[in-house]
Each structure stands twice: as structure tokens, then as C-alpha cells.
Amino acid sequence: MIRSRGTAHINGSTKLAGVTGWPLEHTLSPAMHNAAYEELGLNWVYMPLPVRDEHGLAHLAAAVRELPFVGFNVTMPYKQAIVGLLDEVSEAAVAAGAVNTVSQAEGWLIGHNTDGVGLIEALRTDAGFDPLGKRVVLLGAGGAARGALAALLSAGVESMTVVNRDGRKAADLVAETEPWHRSAAVETAAPDNALCAVREADLVINATSLGMRPGDQSPVPVEWLSPRQLILDMVYGTPRPTALLEGARFLGATALDGLGMLVHQAAAAIDIWSASEDSPAPRAVMRRAAEAQLDARFRPEEA
Ligand code: NDP
């Protein structure tokens, strides 16, 4: 059972953090962050900061400059819109084309992207997978796919194939990230034409939103997968494994859902805000807090 220290520690010196986006009803971030702050003994508190539109986002950014915020996270639909409200943006955020973490010091706002770090950490620590020299198929060409592409290229993958329903978006994504391709071969394939790339891949990542709703099909036929592969589905927080993960596990492949990536990106944000290499954010505690929240969400109502 997760026990919380409640609100007794909040006093005149408490620092603030939070997550902005819309809607935020289902966010797991407050549970993960507050559990981590308690474990680290930080006098911080993390809150949902929902804003309805970009006008609200601008007001929030202005308020953060005046208040004792260590920073805040940014989720859908503002990961791009926030960029114009910041003073500086990290190289990782420029490569990812999005900001999911903002740090604040003396009114100066710096944008970061920890989604990519979160993905790489999840692959390394949760599956022992080093992307260096590997062949990857990336399903999707939205915001999450772009962040994943940038992070995997910087981790030294040998090749990437981007597979998306809208082929033009996949081609745009490959063209926009050209400065970060280095020696990797980066190409696109239509979903119906991706059999070879999927068969040859060491890692297949689902960065489409397929799998979020009950009854969603797998973004590629699961028969194309093989037991030697690692499959990571970015979808998380569903009551049942997605069709992709279920099929991959049935075949004997290693299959991760998106919860590990979510935990690692949140932990990386805390590491930026605390700037403490000696006390990294407690990943295991954060994962337990997220799982407890999901368990409570899916537990049948008691009569
Ligand atoms: P976007 O809306 O930016 O992109 C959605 C992508 O899904 C597009 O490539 C779109 O293809 C594709 N897609 C949507 N519906 C279908 C469908 N019916 N069939 C095939 N493809 C489809 O979303 P994001 O990139 O922000 O998020 C994608 C997923 O990643 C979500 O499930 C999100 O929750 C998850 N995510 C998880 C994170 C984590 O930490 N685990 C972090 C960030 C995101 P098209 O271009 O053809 O429309």
C-alpha cells in the first residue's frame, strides 16, 4: 500500500511543480511526483495545472515566473505551443520538436524534453536493450514518434523505418529530423508494405494512439513479429494489454507497455529540477505510485 505524507509538510517554504495540459483528469503525474518528493525529503508539492487554451497557457507561464515553481511538465495539447513562451530551449527539445518539461530559476524559463530520455531509459533498464547499432521500426508520425526518433538517432541506432497511416506525415518527419540522422539509414514504409522492415527489426515501437481504446487492433499484424524482438507500446494505463503487446507476448517476444517510459520521463524531469546527481529520482517508488493509481482506477466499485 502507498502511504502519503498528506499535506502536513506544506509551509511557507514549499516549492511548487505541476503539469499543464487539457484535459488532465487521468494524469498519473501528481501521484508519481509527490511520491518521489516524499521519498527524497523534498519540500515540494506537485499539482495539476489545467488550462483550456493557449491564452490560459500564456497566463500560466507568466504566473510561474513570479511564483516559487521549480518547474512544470507540459502534456497534450501544448507541447509545441509552450515553446514560444520560453526563454531558452534545450537541444534535445529542439530535436524532438516539443517541450514536456520546463525549469524555472529567477523568472527564467528553460524548455526540455525528457520523453526521449524516458524511452531510452525504459529500453535500457526495463529490458536491458541498448539501441546502439540496432534496427528499429517506429509506428506513428505524431509528437511521440518525433521524440522517439530524435532520441533513438542520438542513441546511435543503425536504421529506422517510420511507418504511418498518413505517408506524407512520415515523410515530413524524416525530412525535418535530417540534421540528426548522422550515419543512420532513415526511411519510411506504408503500413501494408512494412513486412520486411518489421521482420528485420530488433525493436518495434508503437507510437500511434492505436491501442488506447478497447477493441483497437494492433497497428501491424502480430504474425509479422518474432520472439527475438523487443516490442514497446507507448500506450499505457489501459485495463488490458493492447492487441500488439498481447500478440507479442503470445509469440514469446519481450513486450513493454508505455508505463516504464512515463515513469522514466517523470524521473528525468525531477532530476533536472533538483540538479542532484547524488539523489536521483526514485524510479521504483514512482512506478509503484503510478500502478497504485491505475489499480484504484480499474478496481470494480464496491457494493
Ligand atoms: P499524435 O496525435 O501526435 O499522433 C497520433 C499518431 O497515431 C499518428 O501517427 C496517427 O497517424 C496515428 N493514428 C491515430 N489513429 C490511428 C489509427 N486508427 N490507425 C493508424 N494510426 C493511427 O499523438 P502522440 O504522438 O502524442 O501520442 C501517440 C501515443 O503515444 C498515444 O497513445 C500517447 O498516449 C502515447 N504516448 C505515451 C508516452 C509515454 O510516456 N508512454 C509519451 C507520449 C505519448 P496519422 O498521422 O495517419 O493520423
Side-chain angles (χ1 to χ4, degrees):
M1 156 155 346
I2 304 272
R3 279 185 209 287
S4 149
R5 63 181 163 175
T7 53
H9 70 288
I10 297 177
N11 57 28
S13 310
T14 302
K15 296 265 175 62
L16 308 174
V19 56
T20 192
W22 187 271
L24 285 179
E25 276 84 5
H26 295 299
T27 178
L28 299 175
S29 295
M32 289 191 291
H33 276 260
N34 287 316
Y37 303 166
E38 179 168 3
E39 181 75 11
L40 292 169
L42 292 169
N43 185 8
W44 295 3
V45 66
Y46 189 100
M47 299 161 299
L49 305 165
V51 293
R52 233 174 236 286
D53 53 29
E54 291 185 19
H55 187 62
L57 187 67
H59 281 291
L60 174 70
V64 165
R65 291 178 192 273
E66 303 295 329
L67 290 165
F69 269 86
V70 291
F72 61 98
N73 291 122
V74 185
T75 186
M76 296 293 292
Y78 303 129
K79 286 185 179 185
Q80 278 91 27
I82 192 70
V83 173
L85 300 168
L86 305 174
D87 302 304
E88 234 182 284
V89 179
S90 75
E91 205 180 310
V94 173
V99 161
N100 79 324
T101 299
V102 176
S103 57
Q104 200 258 158
E106 295 176 7
W108 190 258
L109 300 181
I110 306 178
H112 310 263
N113 188 299
T114 65
D115 283 332
V117 179
L119 170 66
I120 303 297
E121 256 198 47
L123 294 172
R124 288 202 173 121
T125 61
D126 301 345
F129 182 94
D130 184 350
L132 183 68
K134 300 295 196 312
R135 290 160 297 186
V136 183
V137 165
L138 181 60
L139 308 170
R146 173 154 180 172
L149 182 59
L152 287 159
L153 288 168
S154 103
V157 294
E158 180 188 287
S159 71
M160 297 276 310
T161 306
V162 180
V163 179
N164 197 49
R165 183 177 58 174
D166 178 343
R168 196 177 34 85
K169 271 169 73 179
D172 287 349
L173 177 63
V174 169
E176 284 160 22
T177 52
E178 226 258 89
W180 293 278
H181 289 184
R182 303 182 195 181
S183 58
V186 186
E187 52 192 35
T188 63
D192 292 346
N193 216 6
L195 170 64
C196 280
V198 172
R199 282 258 155 89
E200 284 172 10
D202 303 300
L203 168 65
V204 177
I205 296 180
N206 177 33
T208 76
S209 35
L210 261 182
M212 292 178 81
R213 285 166 309 183
D216 272 357
Q217 292 185 334
S218 169
V220 285
V222 291
E223 309 78 59
W224 291 5
L225 306 174
S226 80
R228 65 165 189 85
Q229 293 175 320
L230 172 60
I231 315 299
L232 185 143
D233 195 331
M234 286 198 195
V235 172
Y236 62 88
T238 52
R240 288 173 50 80
T242 62
L244 174 67
L245 288 189
E246 222 163 36
R249 284 181 187 141
F250 181 77
L251 287 171
T254 307
L256 299 178
D257 68 16
L259 192 62
M261 175 179 167
L262 185 81
V263 169
H264 289 291
Q265 64 75 29
I270 297 174
D271 292 341
I272 289 171
W273 295 335
S274 73
S276 168
E277 285 175 16
D278 300 337
S279 307
R283 275 72 175 161
V285 168
M286 296 172 73
R287 181 159 187 126
R288 281 201 297 279
E291 284 170 347
Q293 184 107 355
L294 288 172
D295 283 352
R297 192 177 295 169
F298 299 131
R299 197 175 304 136
E301 298 268 327
E302 284 175 29

